[in-house]
Amino acid sequence: MKQHGGEDVLSNIIKAILEMKSILFLPNSDIVADKSRYSDYFSSIDSKTLLYLIKENDIPESKTVKLLFGGPENPNAPQIPDASSQILENINTIKPTLENTSDYTYYKQFLELNTQLQQLYSQIQKLKSNMEMYNRQLSQFQCIRGLDNLEHGFISNFILDCSKYSIKNVNWFRVILKIDKLDDEYEIAVNSMYNERGINLKYELLKPFLDRLETNTKLKSTFEDRLIGCGKDPFSFWGNIDFSSLNDCDKCHDDCIVYLNKNYKAFLMEPDPNIDVTTKLKILVYCEYRLFQLSKHITLEAIRLQKQRYTKVLNILKNLSKKDENRVFMKQKINERQKQDSDKMKELEKKQQKLSENIKELVNKRGFSGGNPLQQQPQQPQQQQQQPQQEHPVEKKILNESGNFVYEDLVPDCDAITSDILNGKIKRHNFLYLSPHCNTEIMNALTNS
């Protein structure tokens, strides 16, 4: 059944993701569109977590793992924070000595404290050494082609740094503004929503304004709140992921294409000499559906971080380690068998030679003669006609932009659009007649709404 207790936790994770300079990993659109693959994505980990699992569970490094962590050092690789040097400096500062122990009656306590500090110092030194080793291994992590097969447990599909099913280093605000590209399927999904709602906007005409808004921190904060609200409860009544909170955050139904909440109204009313209120309204409609679709990607990543499903990768690591052990065992067995076969062959060759000598001796004694053995004519190899390989057509995905946009070609109906502004819900039919000629009426309606 549907549980609401985890909403706050998931909302906090989404908020933390959005506040990052760039989101480290997001599932690609193939994953988002296929619910049967959610489980595999939730079982995926990054390279730092992979190293943690290996060390924490004391898993012998397989040949595959050695390949992954055996590359040249990368100075920009993720590092484990190391505060041991500062701790050691603090210990040396507070470390007691006989000189600052004024009363010898406390000598016993001094010795005990000194011993504890020495033990702590030793432990931290060991920890510092381990941290340096781990960070060196992380700096040598590399993605290896050809590990997405049965022999290697498809492990590269579950390492987000390498997986073809993850998108790396995403600036979510730039994606909503279409400054950055997520993937082709994302754009197709967004265009599909535009078509369903009858929205026709030309990106080329909006692009200069979208680019300019990249530095608008208020709009970014507004979109952040929308993403948190849309992704906070993606589960159905039965606990399946159906992104039900998207329906709750979209207060538009039937002919409505965008709901103007207080933050959207504030954005429209904010003075901007470079962007008029009509263009702002078009931008909100354009970005709203990009935001809806991106919310699914971000929510799935938040669920992955919350669940921390490491069992699948752990099993892959253990199986790879066992395979390497089995290979060593099998190699020993094969070598032993080859030696036995070799010894047996030598014995058979000796017996054959002995029999040949006996037969030769018998022939010589009895005067038998034998003809030359029949020589078999070499068979001509049948020429096989090579079948011409059929070339399979390469599928090409064609990304079509939205179609014709209606500007001032239609007579604007300012009364209709101002009525929508007052109600907070912009209807599709009235949006078609949106024109800069209605700017004054729109601003008046915003002031009175």
Side-chain angles (χ1 to χ4, degrees), residues 2 35 53 57 111 116 148 160 166 171-172 174 188 205 214 229 257 289 302 306 322 383 390 406 416 435 443:
K2 192 169 184 177
K35 293 182 180 180
L53 292 177
N57 295 275
L111 290 178
Q116 292 174 11
D148 54 344
L160 295 170
S166 68
N171 185 316
W172 63 267
R174 287 172 61 91
I188 292 171
L205 297 174
E214 182 189 358
I257 59 173
Y289 295 91
Q306 182 185 24
K322 286 180 181 178
Q383 295 183 354
Q390 296 181 354
V406 181
S435 165
M443 290 300 295

Side-chain angles (χ1 to χ4, degrees), residues 20-271:
M20 297 172 68
K21 185 176 180 180
S22 63
I23 303 175
L24 296 179
F25 305 105
L26 283 181
N28 69 7
S29 293
D30 289 337
I31 296 294
V32 172
D34 188 352
K35 293 182 180 180
S36 66
R37 300 168 73 178
Y38 289 176
S39 179
D40 282 347
Y41 186 77
F42 296 152
S43 298
S44 301
I45 60 173
D46 57 28
S47 57
K48 189 185 293 187
T49 307
L50 176 66
L51 184 62
Y52 164 79
L53 292 177
I54 294 170
K55 302 301 181 183
E56 182 71 13
N57 295 275
D58 197 23
I59 300 174
E61 290 188 359
S62 62
K63 182 180 178 181
T64 303
V65 171
K66 288 179 181 178
L67 283 173
L68 289 169
F69 289 99
E73 290 193 15
N74 176 13
N76 299 319
Q79 297 286 288
I80 301 172
D82 181 10
S84 55
S85 298
Q86 183 62 45
I87 296 174
L88 290 174
E89 183 179 338
N90 293 340
I91 288 178
N92 288 327
T93 302
I94 65 173
K95 185 177 177 181
T97 62
L98 279 174
E99 286 74 20
N100 62 27
T101 307
S102 57
D103 193 342
Y104 282 90
T105 58
Y106 296 103
Y107 185 59
K108 183 178 180 180
Q109 290 89 333
F110 158 78
L111 290 178
E112 290 176 354
L113 179 59
N114 194 59
T115 301
Q116 292 174 11
L117 285 172
Q118 289 288 356
Q119 291 174 348
L120 182 60
Y121 188 90
S122 176
Q123 292 172 2
I124 294 176
Q125 284 281 23
K126 183 178 179 180
L127 177 62
K128 180 177 174 63
S129 176
N130 288 339
M131 297 286 278
E132 291 174 351
M133 179 183 69
Y134 297 158
N135 281 329
R136 185 168 59 253
Q137 286 183 286
L138 279 176
S139 69
Q140 293 178 300
F141 178 84
Q142 61 182 349
C143 294
I144 304 292
R145 290 185 178 181
L147 299 186
D148 54 344
N149 55 38
L150 185 60
E151 180 185 357
H152 299 282
F154 299 95
I155 191 168
S156 62
N157 289 346
F158 295 95
I159 303 175
L160 295 170
D161 309 64
C162 310
S163 175
K164 58 187 176 184
Y165 302 116
S166 68
I167 305 172
K168 291 81 176 173
N169 300 317
V170 177
N171 185 316
W172 63 267
F173 189 49
R174 287 172 61 91
V175 169
I176 291 176
L177 296 174
K178 205 181 178 180
I179 298 173
D180 288 349
K181 178 181 178 180
L182 194 67
D183 59 26
D184 288 346
E185 290 76 10
Y186 169 79
E187 296 297 336
I188 292 171
V190 171
N191 282 340
S192 178
M193 286 190 286
Y194 289 153
N195 293 334
E196 289 175 4
R197 299 293 183 102
I199 300 170
N200 294 304
L201 290 168
K202 274 191 174 181
Y203 166 70
E204 293 79 7
L205 297 174
L206 292 177
K207 184 181 184 306
F209 305 104
L210 292 168
D211 292 345
R212 189 176 288 115
L213 287 170
E214 182 189 358
T215 57
N216 191 313
T217 55
K218 289 183 179 179
L219 183 62
K220 183 178 182 180
S221 178
T222 294
F223 285 164
E224 180 179 334
D225 291 341
R226 291 285 286 151
L227 285 168
I228 294 171
C230 291
K232 65 181 180 181
D233 185 20
F235 300 99
S236 68
F237 179 81
W238 300 108
N240 300 318
I241 297 175
D242 65 353
F243 300 105
S244 54
S245 55
L246 274 176
N247 296 326
D248 295 335
C249 78
D250 181 14
K251 297 184 178 180
C252 265
H253 303 285
D254 301 325
D255 192 39
C256 175
I257 59 173
V258 68
Y259 173 75
L260 299 178
N261 59 33
K262 64 178 182 179
N263 290 331
Y264 278 6
K265 289 181 179 180
F267 167 70
L268 292 173
M269 295 179 68
E270 184 180 9

Side-chain angles (χ1 to χ4, degrees), residues 244-364:
S244 54
S245 55
L246 274 176
N247 296 326
D248 295 335
C249 78
D250 181 14
K251 297 184 178 180
C252 265
H253 303 285
D254 301 325
D255 192 39
C256 175
I257 59 173
V258 68
Y259 173 75
L260 299 178
N261 59 33
K262 64 178 182 179
N263 290 331
Y264 278 6
K265 289 181 179 180
F267 167 70
L268 292 173
M269 295 179 68
E270 184 180 9
D272 190 330
N274 298 311
I275 309 177
D276 67 295
V277 68
T278 299
T279 302
K280 284 184 178 182
L281 190 53
K282 294 172 186 174
I283 287 172
L284 285 180
V285 172
Y286 187 79
C287 292
E288 180 79 348
Y289 295 91
R290 299 182 65 81
L291 183 151
F292 280 168
Q293 188 62 24
L294 184 61
S295 172
K296 298 177 182 179
H297 295 257
I298 294 172
T299 300
L300 289 178
E301 172 63 5
I303 295 173
R304 183 191 72 84
L305 293 170
Q306 182 185 24
K307 287 183 176 294
Q308 296 186 351
R309 288 184 179 175
Y310 301 150
T311 305
K312 191 157 195 170
V313 173
L314 273 173
N315 289 336
I316 292 174
L317 292 171
K318 291 175 182 177
N319 288 335
L320 288 173
S321 182
K322 286 180 181 178
K323 280 184 180 179
D324 281 3
E325 293 175 0
N326 290 338
R327 286 193 188 101
V328 174
F329 176 77
M330 290 303 297
K331 187 177 181 181
Q332 292 174 346
K333 289 296 180 183
I334 290 171
N335 290 339
E336 291 176 5
R337 183 62 182 269
Q338 287 177 341
K339 187 177 184 304
Q340 292 174 359
D341 290 345
S342 178
D343 294 341
K344 190 173 183 179
M345 181 63 73
K346 289 178 181 178
E347 291 180 8
L348 292 173
E349 288 175 350
K350 288 179 181 179
K351 289 181 180 180
Q352 183 184 23
Q353 185 177 3
K354 183 67 176 176
L355 286 171
S356 298
E357 290 174 356
N358 291 341
I359 292 173
K360 184 177 181 181
E361 183 180 354
L362 179 63
V363 169
N364 291 336

